[in-house]
Amino acid sequence: MYKVDLPVDESALRAVERRRAAEAERKNRIFNSSSRVIGVDLRALHKQREEKQERLEMGKQRDMAHDLLRLSLDEMAMQQKKEEEELRRELAQDMVQYRAIHQRAEDSRDADINYGRQAAPDASISVSDSALGPASMQVFLGEGINENEKKRAQKEMNERNLRAQKEEREKQEREQKNRELLTGRELVEKDLRAVQLSALEEECKRAAHIALSHYNQAQAEERMEREQQERLRREGEELEEVQYMVTSDLLTERPEAAKRKTESSAEGPRVLTDRWKGMTPQQISEIHRKREEQCLEKERLREMERQRDVAWDYHLTEQARQQEREENRDKELQRERRIQLDKYNQQLAREQQAHQHYLDKQQYTNRPTVHYFTQFSTSSR
């Protein structure tokens, strides 16, 4: 049929454009990390801003405090410099005033000579006095009178001063020489005294050495005399002991001496070790008999101990066998339980593998691709 151009609904287009613009603005507000406010910790941001403001304020206060301190130090330095300059100026003024009062050139010793030379009037005046006026006077009355006498007196005074200084220097040199002579004499006397003292000390040492030698010699002679007497005494005692031993009952070997002593003793018969000469055959046979009896008794006790040890070993062996049988029974039970546990674990593993195969092959067959995840976070709704 015929094509008819229908008017387009402008309001619907404007509504679509308005919704698209609103959606774009919403996306920009949500997905823009610099201007996004959704999901942001406003409390932490406010706290960070407050802390930053506090740090800036503290920095400003610290800078202001440093500036004030710097200004105060500068003022103190300027004040100190000003005080030093004032003190230096006062010292200079005091020095100038002291020199003006106490060190004037007019008060020096040769001031009259220097000023006489400088202010001496010129005797040869080419202009006559009648041609000069009152303001042109060069020579006054009283000037240049007795100038030669003054110079002579000044020269004599200088000579006297020089002579006095020379005499004073010569006197000081004589006194220095006298002091040196006295010092040298004192040193010589000290040296002589030291030589005398050293000689006396050597003499005392020599006398002490001689006395010590005499004392040591007397001590040695006395010690030799004592040793000689001790040797004689010891030799006499040894001779007496040898004679006694030769004639005593110890070397003669008489048993009757020991018997006689025991019979006369109040404590009854006993053996005297220093006089005993041995046992009799009856005593020796009695000792052998007693030793044989002791050996038999010891053998009997050893046999009883051996039988007791055998019985105890048999008892221990039976206990060990019983314990070994119980351990074998426990090991067999543990082996059976382990076999049953292995079978149960194998059954569980087969069931788990079957379940995982069901999940992989039947239930989770439609795995998501990359395109599946791209449909998320594309809209603000």
Side-chain angles (χ1 to χ4, degrees), residues 34-119:
S34 60
S35 61
R36 183 178 58 196
V37 295
I38 297 176
V40 179
D41 192 356
L42 296 178
R43 187 176 302 173
L45 292 177
H46 292 315
K47 186 176 181 181
Q48 291 177 2
R49 186 179 62 183
E50 292 176 357
E51 291 177 355
K52 185 176 180 181
Q53 290 179 358
E54 290 179 359
R55 287 197 300 270
L56 293 175
E57 188 66 24
M58 290 175 64
K60 290 180 181 179
Q61 293 179 3
R62 184 171 57 253
D63 295 338
M64 291 176 64
H66 289 169
D67 294 338
L68 293 175
L69 179 61
R70 195 181 304 108
L71 291 174
S72 62
L73 293 176
D74 293 340
E75 291 178 358
M76 291 173 62
M78 292 176 66
Q79 184 68 22
Q80 186 176 3
K81 185 177 180 181
K82 185 177 180 181
E83 291 177 357
E84 290 178 356
E85 292 178 354
E86 186 68 24
L87 180 60
R88 194 180 295 108
R89 186 166 51 255
E90 291 178 358
L91 291 175
Q93 291 178 0
D94 293 341
M95 183 63 70
V96 171
Q97 186 176 2
Y98 177 79
R99 289 176 179 174
I101 296 174
H102 300 285
Q103 295 182 355
R104 295 187 305 170
E106 295 85 355
D107 296 336
S108 61
R109 296 179 62 183
D110 53 353
D112 52 354
I113 298 175
N114 295 330
Y115 278 89
R117 291 177 181 177
Q118 294 176 3

Side-chain angles (χ1 to χ4, degrees), residues 79-200:
Q79 184 68 22
Q80 186 176 3
K81 185 177 180 181
K82 185 177 180 181
E83 291 177 357
E84 290 178 356
E85 292 178 354
E86 186 68 24
L87 180 60
R88 194 180 295 108
R89 186 166 51 255
E90 291 178 358
L91 291 175
Q93 291 178 0
D94 293 341
M95 183 63 70
V96 171
Q97 186 176 2
Y98 177 79
R99 289 176 179 174
I101 296 174
H102 300 285
Q103 295 182 355
R104 295 187 305 170
E106 295 85 355
D107 296 336
S108 61
R109 296 179 62 183
D110 53 353
D112 52 354
I113 298 175
N114 295 330
Y115 278 89
R117 291 177 181 177
Q118 294 176 3
D122 190 4
S124 61
I125 301 175
S126 59
V127 184
S128 62
D129 294 338
S130 61
L132 298 174
S136 299
M137 297 179 65
Q138 296 182 2
V139 180
F140 297 92
L141 183 63
E143 292 186 358
I145 301 174
N146 299 327
E147 182 177 0
N148 296 325
E149 288 77 3
K150 289 181 180 180
K151 290 181 179 179
R152 190 180 303 107
Q154 184 69 28
K155 186 176 180 180
E156 292 176 356
M157 186 174 63
N158 292 334
E159 291 177 356
R160 287 196 301 273
N161 292 332
L162 291 174
R163 194 180 303 109
Q165 292 177 3
K166 184 177 180 181
E167 292 176 356
E168 182 69 22
R169 185 169 61 254
E170 292 176 354
K171 182 179 178 182
Q172 291 178 359
E173 290 178 357
R174 288 196 299 272
E175 291 179 354
Q176 181 67 23
K177 289 181 180 180
N178 293 330
R179 284 195 297 271
E180 291 178 356
L181 290 174
L182 291 175
T183 304
R185 187 176 300 172
E186 290 178 357
L187 292 175
V188 171
E189 292 178 356
K190 288 181 179 179
D191 293 338
L192 293 175
R193 183 64 177 170
V195 171
Q196 293 176 359
L197 291 176
S198 62
L200 290 174

